[in-house]
Amino acid sequence: MAKLLRQRLLQLVLVILGLSSLVFFLVRISGDPASAIAGADADPETLAAIRSNLGLNEPVLVQYVRFLGDLLVLDFGDSYQYRSDAMALVLDRFPASALLTLLAMLIAVGLGVPAGVLGAVHRDGLLGRAVNGLAILGQSVPNFVLGLVLIMIFAVSLGWLPSFGGEGVMSLILPAVTLAAFICARQMRLVQAYTLEELSKGYVRTANSLGYSTRRIRYRHILRNVSVPMLSLVGLELGQFIAGSVVVESVFSWPGLGRLMVESVTARDYPVLQAGVFVIGVLVVLINFIVDLLYQVVDPRLKAQLVTR
Amino acid sequence: MSTVLTVPEPGGAEPVAEVVPAPRRRRRRLLPRHFGARIALGFLIVGVLAAIFAPAVSPYDPNEQSLLNRLAAPSLFGGEGAHLLGTDELGRDLLSRAIYGGRVSFTVGFVAATFAGLLGTVLGVVAGYYRGIVESVIMRTVDILTAFPFLIVALAVVAVFGAKLSVLIIVLVLWEWVPFTRLAHAKTLNVVSTDYFRAAVAIGRRGVGILARHVLPNIAGPLIVVWTFVVARSIVIESSLSFLGLGVPPPTATWGGMLSASRGYLDTAWWIPLVPGVAITLVVLSVNVVGDWLSERWDPHGRR
């Protein structure tokens, strides 16, 4: 446990340091942040003032050390666009993204897991093939295509749901479904594959011969064994999820972190980019850590391995 | 495993490796074996050829504007005019733009996945064979990169270096080698512990020779499967970046860029978003179907 914690902490530090340094040097390569702040047609005096204000006249190494110092106290400076604290902006947008992501995750797991189990049980039947087809289709439709198609059907043609938003429960539905589709398809596939593997194992036969109901065997015994690889998928695919939310938020003009990142990239608003990358990096490592812990809850056998590893 | 190899009969004229369908899949076939995979492969070949010979096969110049012909409905679906898949908001022929858009996507997808595959395989095999500090460094890097929110890094890099084809490919390669390394590493560890590998060591094989001769051929199958999925993912990432306005800039036709531009016409001209949307979906789907088929052949445990 202590070792796992140490490992994850080290990973956290390395990820944050790597990401932040990457963005820091990218910004320095890309040209003068001062002109990004003041705009293209600023006069030289303004530019010089901004430069000395931000310490841009000092050697890059000095700037880097100071940047690392600021990183320690989570000070990313002010947004160039909004002239307010970058971290505050990011945290302000964060709940909207979290809401969308959580809902999408719920949809994905809630649909994907039962569908995967059913797909495995009826593997050669119509249902199994339908699950197979849906899974591969769901993994092939890029989320911005799916988003636009859903908008065309449910917002434009039928007029049932708003096509963009940030307000109201209804405006959540389309973005959440769009974001969920890919992960749902992956869950379906994975659960199906692992359930198939489990179905042929001895304990299933034993449970059958003991007279347990099919439902109990499927959803209690098998699912418990399948949940370990499922969990690791959630951890591994998290990056995919965040990437997905960047695109989906742009499609639906969702006022979340992802769209803020795209905006700050196009507007060269580097402090916001830094703060956003920081928050996302911390989250990814943190969730992977939680997934590691959950492994042990779900599968006590792993506990021994994790401790000794 | 859906296939078994029959043992050649002792007195037979020729050893025949006959493929027998496993008893589980006894249902009658409406379609030939791997029908979907054949269709997908055929579609991909046609698509790639069309992209390569785009100037010859596309009916119009993809960037030729014709303001009199704006938003012409596709004649394939009953629209009037001479544009099979219709025209966009500037009167450009959508079929031609879709064909040219394939050039960007296929180039990025295949080139990035191939270089990433080479790099990742070498690193994974080296990590699994030499072990020690080399392995630690490579595999810890893999762990760290896994936790990188890639699309955001890609956004930042593209914003700084400009959305050139080369930049897109380099960014993708620097990230997509990870799954190859993970797999090559695990598989190499398996091979290293086999008897035939020990035998090869015992007769004095070492270094690159043993890796090329005994390790690579034994791990190639699953790696090719991963390659197909990385091709699909690279195409999706490329078009996502284009969609966000950070891909190869207009007027060059890209599927993502076409979709992004279509957003104002969702209610008036359904064919503008649909043409690039269907193009990219069909291509990614085909790559995935082919990959699935390969994984069924080479990797009994499916994609992992």
Side-chain angles (χ1 to χ4, degrees), chain B residues 53-279:
Chain B
F53 301 107
V57 292
S58 52
Y60 294 87
D61 180 332
N63 293 324
E64 185 192 291
Q65 304 183 4
S66 145
L67 293 177
L68 288 174
N69 256 330
R70 291 177 72 242
L71 308 177
S75 61
L76 192 63
F77 299 104
E80 289 174 14
H83 297 272
L84 218 50
L85 295 179
T87 61
D88 67 4
E89 71 281 4
L90 296 172
R92 295 173 295 193
D93 181 58
L94 279 173
L95 176 60
S96 309
R97 286 185 74 70
I99 293 172
Y100 273 87
R103 291 188 139 187
V104 176
S105 287
F106 284 129
T107 309
V108 171
F110 285 117
V111 174
T114 304
F115 279 110
L118 294 176
L119 178 68
T121 304
V122 169
L123 287 175
V125 170
V126 164
Y129 177 67
Y130 290 103
R131 313 297 303 267
I133 189 143
V134 182
E135 183 184 33
S136 311
V137 171
I138 292 175
M139 296 320 286
R140 287 298 81 75
T141 314
V142 164
D143 285 346
I144 291 168
L145 274 185
T146 306
F148 264 44
F150 169 69
L151 196 71
I152 289 168
V153 175
L155 284 178
V157 172
V158 168
V160 168
F161 291 105
K164 284 181 284 247
L165 213 54
S166 53
V167 174
L168 284 177
I169 290 172
I170 290 171
V171 172
L172 278 166
V173 169
L174 288 182
W175 190 66
E176 299 277 31
W177 61 272
V178 168
F180 292 102
T181 303
R182 213 185 269 284
L183 186 71
H185 175 243
K187 295 275 173 191
T188 304
L189 289 181
N190 286 345
V191 171
V192 167
S193 66
T194 56
D195 287 338
Y196 71 77
F197 186 85
R198 293 214 189 91
V201 174
I203 61 168
R205 292 202 190 277
R206 294 279 185 281
V208 179
I210 199 168
L211 292 182
R213 183 131 182 198
H214 297 284
V215 178
L216 271 182
N218 280 296
I219 67 174
L223 283 168
I224 291 173
V225 172
V226 170
W227 179 80
T228 60
F229 297 130
V230 171
V231 169
R233 187 159 66 184
S234 303
I235 290 176
V236 171
I237 290 175
E238 179 274 324
S239 52
S240 299
L241 285 171
S242 301
F243 180 78
L244 294 173
L246 290 158
V248 177
T252 305
T254 57
W255 291 336
M258 289 166 74
L259 266 166
S260 178
S262 78
R263 282 201 273 184
Y265 303 89
L266 296 183
D267 49 348
T268 48
W270 52 267
W271 53 91
I272 304 184
L274 234 52
V275 169
V278 168

Side-chain angles (χ1 to χ4, degrees), chain A residues 8 22-23 30 102 134 149 158 180 195 213-214 240 253 265 295:
Chain A
R8 286 303 176 190
L22 187 71
V23 178
S30 75
L102 276 177
L134 266 181
V149 169
L158 299 172
T195 308
S213 71
T214 332
Q240 190 88 39
S253 308
V265 164
Y295 279 162

Side-chain angles (χ1 to χ4, degrees), chain A residues 11 14 19 22 26 30 123-124 139-140 144-145 148 152 156 189 194 197 243 250-251 265 268 280 284, chain B residues 24 143-144 147-149 152-153 159-161 239-240 243-244 259 263 267 270 284-285 288 292 303-304:
Chain A
Q11 193 192 11
L14 285 177
L19 274 175
L22 187 71
L26 278 177
S30 75
R123 129 168 234 206
D124 285 331
Q139 286 180 76
S140 301
F144 53 95
V145 175
L148 288 182
M152 284 172 76
V156 175
R189 224 190 141 80
Y194 281 98
E197 225 173 287
S250 296
V251 172
V265 164
R268 305 192 155 215
I280 292 171
V284 171
Chain B
R24 214 194 271 121
D143 285 346
I144 291 168
F148 264 44
I152 289 168
V153 175
V160 168
F161 291 105
S239 52
S240 299
F243 180 78
L244 294 173
L259 266 166
R263 282 201 273 184
D267 49 348
W270 52 267
V284 176
L285 183 66
N288 278 335
D292 247 29
R303 62 161 72 172
R304 241 178 259 173

